[in-house]
Amino acid sequence: RRRIRPVAKACGGREARPRARAAPAAASGPPTRSSGDAMKSHSIAQETQTSGPEMVEDPAKGDGAAQAGSKAPAASTLPGLRWLVTGIAAATFVVSAVTLALVVRLDNDNSEPAAAAGTVSVREMGGAFFGNGPNPCHARKPVHADAEAEDNYFQNVECLEDGVLQVLEQAGANVTAGYVGGLDASGREPITEPYWKMGLCPVNVHWHLGAEHLSVGEFDEDGKGPGYTYEGADYSTDNEGRRLQGATVREGFLCHWYDEADARFTTEYDWQHCIGMEVGETYEVHWPHSAAGACNTPHQYQTPFYDGVFCNDGVISLDPLNTYEKIGVQSQVFTVINDEAFYYPDLMRGMIVDGDYGQDIAKYTGSTTGTSRNNEICSRFTPITWQVDRKCHLISASSFDKLCADMKAQRDDMTDDLHAHGSRELVADELAANNLRGK
């Protein structure tokens, strides 16, 4: 006996032709990178399978008579069988037609109900899966000390007036081991535990061109980048410290990794999501955390970050003062390299703590930063805790681009944080707290 492919005789002795199997669609574009894994090329082995019992031809019973342990249907059942098959086919056609009509209707429908004030639409967000809904953190950045004050307490002010200090400690400061600031911060100790242990969650992520903090030997005046060295360039921003269109952004301190002879620092990356980024450049990434954030909700991440920090009432207080216990910022400095060996998939969640990353941490109290402040004009969002990695690390360009893609997927619109912001000049000793903790 020889083995043959299954071929069955159907009604009326007519041969049932096997239905052609559609060829698998060819994969298009680069492989997608899943959260938690570096992008790796892969191949999929396709296996050809046959279904049903194997049929064995019996020459004695005639060509094509299949033995599968069953008898042919009685002749009286064939008309009913035909009607059943015909009915199923017709019903399947109707369902398919209705489904196709619905798909075409949805695909061509560009209308969308107008979103109420303070809400975000799916189309505006680029397809975020939560749809329309109020943002409880919208416009939560405070202006006054309290609802009745009308005192513009949180507006930037002159750091000194007639030689008298008008503000509390500022940031970014010198975080080099052993540094002691000149401002007495007695009674205001920074958070020394990981923020999550104290009930704080990340509410934003953004970064600055160059480093705002100083860590001698890691990111300082002797660092270098693509085409230039640290000069503290001129800059122009609005009153929120945001970059103005076409303006030069002030650059901070630079790391020492850049090597113009190494193609990994000079080969450009095809950025898909981040704006204005450059391979070989130094960036200081900030993750503001807050105990008053919309933690573990779709509204956790906000731009501007102040909305996320002050989202919930009754947590942060100026009297009694608890801001340095309820607000904290993680800071980590990177040089961007075009090398997937330095890929990290989840910069959205916070500082990298792995191997040498996130091990040598300086902790102190300071203020918010940005180029609307300097050593003459200071921030009133103070004191808050800072936890700063003293080391400069390498990170792949694709890691940053993945971060920007994640930012685009948030409920709130984080577009204004997809590019580097300018760096505040180093805080003068008399404005830096004397409570630096760490190794």
Side-chain angles (χ1 to χ4, degrees):
R1 298 181 182 180
R2 60 186 179 87
R3 298 181 185 274
I4 63 173
R5 292 182 181 276
V7 178
K9 294 286 186 177
C11 307
R14 183 176 299 167
E15 184 175 272
R17 298 181 180 273
R19 184 173 299 174
R21 179 177 299 168
S28 61
T32 57
R33 181 185 293 109
S34 61
S35 178
D37 293 315
M39 181 168 60
K40 298 179 180 178
S41 61
H42 62 281
S43 62
I44 300 176
Q46 299 179 350
E47 298 180 358
T48 303
Q49 298 180 350
T50 57
S51 58
E54 182 179 49
M55 301 299 185
V56 181
E57 181 184 11
D58 189 344
K61 293 192 176 183
D63 194 27
Q67 297 184 35
S70 62
K71 296 181 179 179
S76 60
T77 66
L78 296 180
L81 208 61
R82 290 195 189 96
W83 282 112
L84 177 61
V85 172
T86 302
I88 292 174
T92 302
F93 175 78
V94 172
V95 172
S96 299
V98 172
T99 302
L100 178 61
L102 287 174
V103 170
V104 172
R105 166 76 172 81
L106 291 173
D107 188 56
N108 292 331
D109 185 8
N110 292 319
S111 62
E112 181 180 336
T119 66
V120 179
S121 72
V122 173
R123 293 188 187 277
E124 290 171 337
M125 265 300 301
F129 53 85
F130 288 105
N132 292 334
N135 179 358
C137 306
H138 178 69
R140 297 295 292 168
K141 178 184 178 181
V143 176
H144 309 296
D146 56 61
E148 293 78 28
E150 298 293 327
D151 57 1
N152 294 313
Y153 174 83
F154 286 105
Q155 295 295 321
N156 292 342
V157 297
E158 292 187 6
C159 305
L160 298 170
E161 187 174 309
D162 296 328
V164 178
L165 191 64
Q166 301 298 306
V167 294
L168 297 181
E169 53 265 34
Q170 300 289 295
N174 187 341
V175 294
T176 307
Y179 173 78
V180 179
L183 190 150
D184 185 5
S186 298
R188 300 188 292 274
E189 287 296 314
I191 299 170
T192 56
E193 292 289 332
Y195 290 146
W196 64 268
K197 289 187 177 182
M198 307 305 292
L200 283 65
C201 69
V203 297
N204 172 273
V205 57
H206 63 273
W207 50 94
H208 297 260
L209 179 61
E212 294 192 297
H213 289 89
L214 170 65
S215 181
V216 176
E218 292 290 332
F219 32 95
D220 55 24
E221 298 94 333
D222 296 324
K224 54 186 178 180
Y228 48 83
T229 56
Y230 170 81
E231 294 178 355
D234 292 334
Y235 58 94
S236 180
T237 62
D238 61 15
N239 59 7
E240 296 294 333
R242 305 296 184 185
R243 179 174 60 180
L244 296 177
Q245 187 68 31
T248 299
V249 179
R250 184 184 187 278
E251 181 166 51
F253 299 107
L254 301 179
C255 296
H256 296 233
W257 287 107
Y258 180 78
D259 180 0
E260 62 182 5
D262 188 336
R264 298 178 301 166
F265 293 103
T266 58
T267 302
E268 266 308 317
Y269 177 79
D270 184 15
W271 300 93
Q272 299 296 310
H273 303 285
C274 296
I275 300 171
M277 301 287 286
E278 188 172 0
V279 172
E281 189 55 85
T282 295
Y283 298 98
E284 179 172 327
V285 182
H286 291 168
W287 293 271
H289 285 60
S290 177
C295 302
N296 303 312
T297 77
H299 303 283
Q300 179 170 325
Y301 287 89
Q302 297 284 320
T303 294
F305 68 83
Y306 297 98
D307 288 353
V309 168
F310 294 97
C311 184
N312 290 308
D313 292 328
V315 178
I316 297 171
S317 170
L318 294 178
D319 186 18
L321 184 66
N322 70 357
T323 53
Y324 55 95
E325 298 172 328
K326 303 299 182 181
I327 305 171
V329 184
Q330 287 180 334
S331 173
Q332 202 160 35
V333 179
F334 300 101
T335 293
V336 176
I337 187 170
N338 200 339
D339 185 345
E340 293 306 299
F342 298 93
Y343 176 75
Y344 184 79
D346 201 2
L347 284 172
M348 193 79 187
R349 292 174 181 262
M351 176 187 293
I352 301 175
V353 181
D354 183 27
D356 292 336
Y357 290 62
Q359 298 303 313
D360 185 4
I361 307 299
K363 303 161 187 176
Y364 74 102
T365 56
S367 68
T368 54
T369 64
T371 51
S372 66
R373 294 104 183 190
N374 48 43
N375 287 324
E376 289 75 43
I377 301 298
C378 283
S379 171
R380 293 293 292 271
F381 289 96
T382 176
I384 62 176
T385 290
W386 280 87
Q387 295 186 356
V388 183
D389 190 341
R390 288 191 175 105
K391 304 296 183 184
C392 178
H393 305 285
L394 293 173
I395 194 78
S396 73
S398 59
S399 300
F400 257 108
D401 219 27
K402 168 64 164 53
L403 168 60
C404 290
D406 290 341
M407 293 167 69
K408 287 180 176 180
Q410 299 307 304
R411 168 65 79 81
D412 194 32
D413 182 4
M414 300 188 74
T415 301
D416 286 344
D417 285 326
L418 295 177
H419 62 79
H421 301 288
S423 288
R424 179 180 180 171
E425 66 181 353
L426 181 67
V427 168
D429 292 341
E430 60 268 24
L431 300 174
N434 64 351
N435 59 8
L436 183 66
R437 301 289 182 263
K439 296 178 182 177

